[in-house]
Amino acid sequence: MLGGQLRRMREQAGISRADAGWQIRASESKVSRMELGRVGFKERDVSDLLELYGMADDEERFRLMELARAANNPGWWSRYGDVMPSWFTNYVGLEVAATLIRTYEVMFVPGLLQTEEYARAVVQLGKSYLPSAEVDQRVALRVTRQQILTRPNPARLWVVIDESVLHRPVGGEDVLRAQIEHLLKWAAQPNITLQVMPFSSIGYPGAGGAFSILRFPEGDLPDVVYIEHAASALYLDKLDEVDEYVAIMEGLTIAAAPVSATEGLLKEALARMD
């Protein structure tokens, strides 16, 4: 979040990354990594950049410096660093800070709603070579992430899943049955909205694969679109890009079965397995 704000301030001030790097006695590449959240933040560097960008608001300067200090304090997820790639570490930090997460999923139940057994099956898909200890860590990370939905001030989660997810026997039929029963419980929570895109719907043009949109409590922070690939991830926060995905997400919620139909669709999926 801090990196994105520094980038926007630099662009508004009409300052190049090279000039910003000169200000903090670093390279243009380091400024780029700072803005992408791929390196830590030295308080002196942030202070010097704020000076260069003309930050005159003392309260805003204090807030940004607090963000710099917080960014250097490892979160709970740092203990999973051995099994978590750096590009996903950034996402978990954003997820913890988000107040609203909207997700579209076409292959699996989203990680925030997975049972431990379902998560284990997903982690092991195509990776049977992984040591059991590493599998345990990956599953523990996925389950621990779910605490954002049950904390005192829980995040809101709005999920649209393709109906095929309810047919795909990840982990076997018993694991899938338990997962669908788990979804019934999650869908009853006031901060969680779950919709199913039925086979009878053509969906929404341009939706493509899975993605998430994260929104944050600070009004000046833009939404972030997260798109995960096999060995990397894409983070989008430019207004036109985010707006396009917001429109797609809204289209998906309209094309999907209404929220009132979710319980019935989940129970139908369970009935098919009996």
Side-chain angles (χ1 to χ4, degrees):
M1 290 189 293
L2 176 58
Q5 287 181 285
L6 289 174
R7 175 178 60 78
R8 285 186 293 277
M9 291 175 61
R10 177 181 59 75
E11 291 174 346
Q12 289 170 1
I15 296 171
S16 68
R17 286 196 180 99
D19 288 340
W22 177 266
Q23 177 76 3
I24 62 172
R25 303 151 298 280
S27 66
E28 177 180 350
S29 176
K30 179 179 178 179
V31 174
S32 177
R33 293 196 302 274
M34 288 175 65
E35 292 179 351
L36 292 170
R38 293 176 179 170
V39 294
F41 296 92
K42 293 181 179 179
E43 292 182 39
R44 176 184 173 184
D45 289 346
V46 174
S47 179
D48 287 347
L49 288 175
L50 293 179
E51 187 72 26
L52 177 66
Y53 301 157
M55 170 55 68
D57 186 323
D58 290 340
E59 289 187 7
E60 181 65 5
R61 173 185 284 271
F62 177 80
R63 187 181 74 84
L64 292 172
M65 292 304 299
E66 284 293 294
L67 279 178
R69 283 185 278 273
N72 291 321
N73 293 326
W76 60 261
W77 53 93
S78 63
R79 64 178 180 268
Y80 297 101
D82 292 344
V83 299
M84 186 168 48
S86 59
W87 50 263
F88 189 66
T89 301
N90 295 336
Y91 176 76
V92 177
L94 291 171
E95 190 178 68
V96 169
T99 54
L100 170 63
I101 302 171
R102 288 171 286 181
T103 296
Y104 174 53
E105 181 58 71
V106 294
M107 285 289 290
F108 307 110
V109 171
L112 289 175
L113 299 180
Q114 291 179 4
T115 65
E116 184 173 336
E117 294 77 14
Y118 188 96
R120 185 174 301 278
V122 172
V123 166
Q124 292 179 307
L125 281 175
K127 296 182 179 179
S128 58
Y129 57 85
L130 288 177
S132 58
E134 182 172 339
V135 172
D136 289 343
Q137 274 194 296
R138 289 174 181 246
V139 172
L141 168 62
R142 191 162 300 190
V143 172
T144 305
R145 284 170 49 209
Q146 298 173 5
Q147 67 188 4
I148 68 169
L149 301 175
T150 57
R151 65 194 182 192
N153 185 25
R156 290 172 54 216
L157 178 66
W158 192 318
V159 172
V160 177
I161 59 171
D162 191 81
E163 187 178 352
S164 63
V165 172
L166 305 178
H167 290 259
R168 189 167 291 113
V170 175
E173 201 167 270
D174 290 343
V175 170
L176 179 59
R177 181 183 291 108
Q179 176 63 72
I180 295 174
E181 291 172 345
H182 193 62
L183 288 177
L184 277 166
K185 295 177 182 177
W186 275 123
Q189 300 305 309
N191 61 313
I192 297 176
T193 301
L194 175 62
Q195 289 181 268
V196 177
M197 183 71 70
F199 291 135
S200 58
S201 173
I202 62 172
Y204 185 82
F211 65 90
S212 294
I213 307 173
L214 297 91
R215 178 162 294 173
F216 307 97
E218 293 85 359
D220 59 337
L221 289 181
D223 291 355
V224 172
V225 176
Y226 173 77
I227 306 169
E228 187 171 315
H229 303 301
S232 63
L234 185 63
Y235 295 84
L236 306 175
D237 66 354
K238 291 184 178 179
L239 187 59
D240 57 340
E241 296 173 327
V242 171
D243 283 349
E244 182 174 352
Y245 275 90
V246 168
I248 290 172
M249 192 70 207
E250 291 176 351
L252 288 167
T253 63
I254 294 171
V259 176
S260 59
T262 297
E263 182 179 354
L265 288 168
L266 293 177
K267 288 183 176 179
E268 284 178 18
L270 288 174
R272 286 194 299 268
M273 302 174 71
D274 293 336

